[in-house]
Amino acid sequence: MDLASNPEQSLQAREDDVFMAAALSIGRRNIGRAGPNPAVGALVVKDGVVVSRGWTAANGRPHAETIALLSAGEAARGATLYVTLEPCSHHGATPPCADAIIAAGISRVVSAIEDPDPRVAGRGHARLREAGVEVVTGVRADAARVDHLGHILRVTRSRPMVTLKLAQTADGYAAGAEHDPRLFITGPIADAFTHVQRALHGAIMVGYGTARIDDPLMTVRLPGMEDYKPLRVVLDRKLLLARHSRLAATASETPTLVIAGETVDDEAASAFSAATAIEVARVPLDENGRLSLHAALALLAQRGVTRVFSEGGPRVAESLLLGSLADEAIIHTGLKPLGREGRPALSRAARARLEDPAFYRVSEKAALGADRMTRYERIG
C-alpha cells in the first residue's frame, strides 16, 4: 500500500521507525557483554509513551523482553513491544519470551528481524500470531543485522563476528625494522577510540608475534569500566608466550586464553598453565602449518563469544582478510610517515582484498585528532 495515500498508516510506520531506533540504541548498551546471547533492546510503548525498557543483561540473562515486561507490569496490557530480534520461543535456561509477552497482554509486537537460531527461526513470531498478537517485522532490519551480526554468525557459521583493527603510518607501515624500538603511530584520541572498541567485544585477540614484540595488556582502560574484562586471546602455535610477560603477570585477575597448535603436548600445556594461570586450548593446524583460524574462532564461539576484536598484527590481519573472516576492519592512519623501510601493516594481497569493492565497502571515515580512521564492512 502507498503510505502517502494512507496518512494513518504512514504515521504508524514513522512511529515504529522512531521507537525501533531507540530500542536498537538501548540494546547496544551491553553489546559484546551479552554473550552467548545477542544484545537485544526492548521497549514497551502505550499511547505513544515509553512505559518501560530493557536490554539483555551481561552474560545473556535476563533477556531484554523479560526485563521490559517486568518493569511495565500491568501497563503492558494493550501496549506495543518493540524488540530488535525475534523473541525466543524455546525453553532454555529461562522460559520463552514469546510466552511471557502473551501472558503480559501485549497486543502488538514490532520486531526488527527474525532470529536465525534454528531453535527459533520464525517460531517466536508464529507463536505470537497464533495467540492473536499483531506482529510487524522488518523495521530497521539492516541496522539490527549489524548489531546482531555476532549472534547471527555464531548460529549460522559457528564463529563469532570479527573486527580487525590495525594502525599504520602515513606510508603504510605498522612497525619499523626488526630491531627498531616500538613504533607509536596514533595519538590519544585514536587510542581512546580503540579502548571503546575493545569494550564492545567479548574477546580481544592478538598473534604471538604481537604479544612478544609489544608485550600488551589487552585491557579496557576507560573511566567507569575498570570491572569489564574481555577475554584476552593469544594465537600461539608453539606455546612460546613468555612466562614473565604482562599477560602472564595479570592472568590471575583478567581471563586469558592461549590457543596453541594441536602439536603441543599435554605436559607442556599443563606446565604452562600452572606457571602462568593462563588457560591453554589447542586446535588443528591449516595446510600451511599455521593455526587454523577457522578452528580458533569456532572454539571461541563454543565458549559463548559472539564478538572478537583482533589487534593481532599484519600476519593475523592477512589471514583474516584473505580467509573472509574479518567482518569489519578499522584502519587508523597516523599523520607521520615512517620514511624508511619497515613492516607493512598489510601485505599486498591483504590490502588488495580490503580495497576490492567486491569484498569490502567503506562504511565510515572520521578524523580522530590528527589521525584518520577508516572503517570497512565485509560484503556478503
Side-chain angles (χ1 to χ4, degrees), residues 58-271:
N59 300 316
R61 295 183 184 87
H63 291 184
E65 302 96 315
T66 301
I67 294 171
L69 292 171
L70 285 174
S71 178
E74 282 299 310
R77 296 204 169 272
T80 296
L81 174 70
Y82 292 87
V83 61
T84 63
L85 185 70
E86 177 183 10
C88 64
S89 56
H90 63 285
H91 284 270
T94 55
C97 287
D99 288 356
I101 292 167
I102 294 165
I106 291 287
S107 62
R108 183 170 182 263
V109 171
V110 180
S111 170
I113 56 173
E114 183 177 293
D115 190 343
D117 188 327
R119 297 172 298 176
V120 187
R123 294 182 181 89
H125 291 152
R127 175 78 182 92
L128 294 171
R129 290 188 176 106
E130 289 166 2
V133 178
E134 179 188 353
V135 177
V136 177
T137 62
V139 179
R140 295 220 166 205
D142 290 345
R145 288 189 189 95
V146 171
D147 287 359
H148 298 312
L149 183 58
H151 168 69
I152 292 169
L153 290 174
R154 183 170 178 264
V155 299
T156 61
R157 301 189 188 180
S158 300
R159 71 168 179 87
M161 173 266 187
V162 178
T163 299
L164 166 64
K165 174 259 177 181
L166 280 175
Q168 62 180 5
T169 60
D171 48 358
Y173 293 103
E178 183 177 354
H179 299 295
D180 283 2
R182 182 179 175 185
L183 195 60
F184 292 93
I185 297 173
T186 53
I189 297 177
D191 293 347
F193 180 87
T194 293
H195 282 277
V196 172
Q197 295 303 308
R198 288 177 179 176
L200 299 177
H201 293 76
I204 304 168
M205 183 173 75
V206 300
Y208 165 69
T210 296
R212 176 179 62 84
I213 295 169
D214 293 349
D215 193 21
L217 275 174
M218 296 165 59
T219 53
V220 176
R221 298 188 290 280
L222 293 171
M225 298 201 71
E226 294 82 2
D227 292 336
Y228 179 50
K229 298 177 179 179
L231 176 68
R232 304 183 300 187
V233 180
V234 181
L235 303 173
D236 183 6
R237 177 171 62 93
K238 296 182 179 179
L239 197 57
L240 297 176
L241 183 68
R243 299 186 183 192
H244 58 270
S245 66
R246 294 203 293 173
L247 289 171
T250 56
S252 59
E253 57 195 56
T254 303
T256 308
L257 171 69
V258 167
I259 301 180
E262 61 185 0
T263 53
V264 172
D265 62 38
D266 292 344
E267 184 177 350
S270 297

Side-chain angles (χ1 to χ4, degrees), residues 14-35:
R14 289 197 295 269
E15 184 175 278
D16 287 347
D17 185 74
V18 168
F19 284 124
M20 185 59 75
L24 286 163
S25 180
I26 289 168
R28 294 181 190 117
R29 292 192 174 194
N30 264 343
I31 197 166
R33 287 177 283 177

Side-chain angles (χ1 to χ4, degrees), residues 281-300:
R282 285 160 290 179
V283 299
L285 306 181
D286 63 19
E287 63 275 10
N288 298 313
R290 297 179 180 178
L291 281 180
S292 167
L293 276 178
H294 287 86
L297 292 174
L299 172 70
L300 294 176

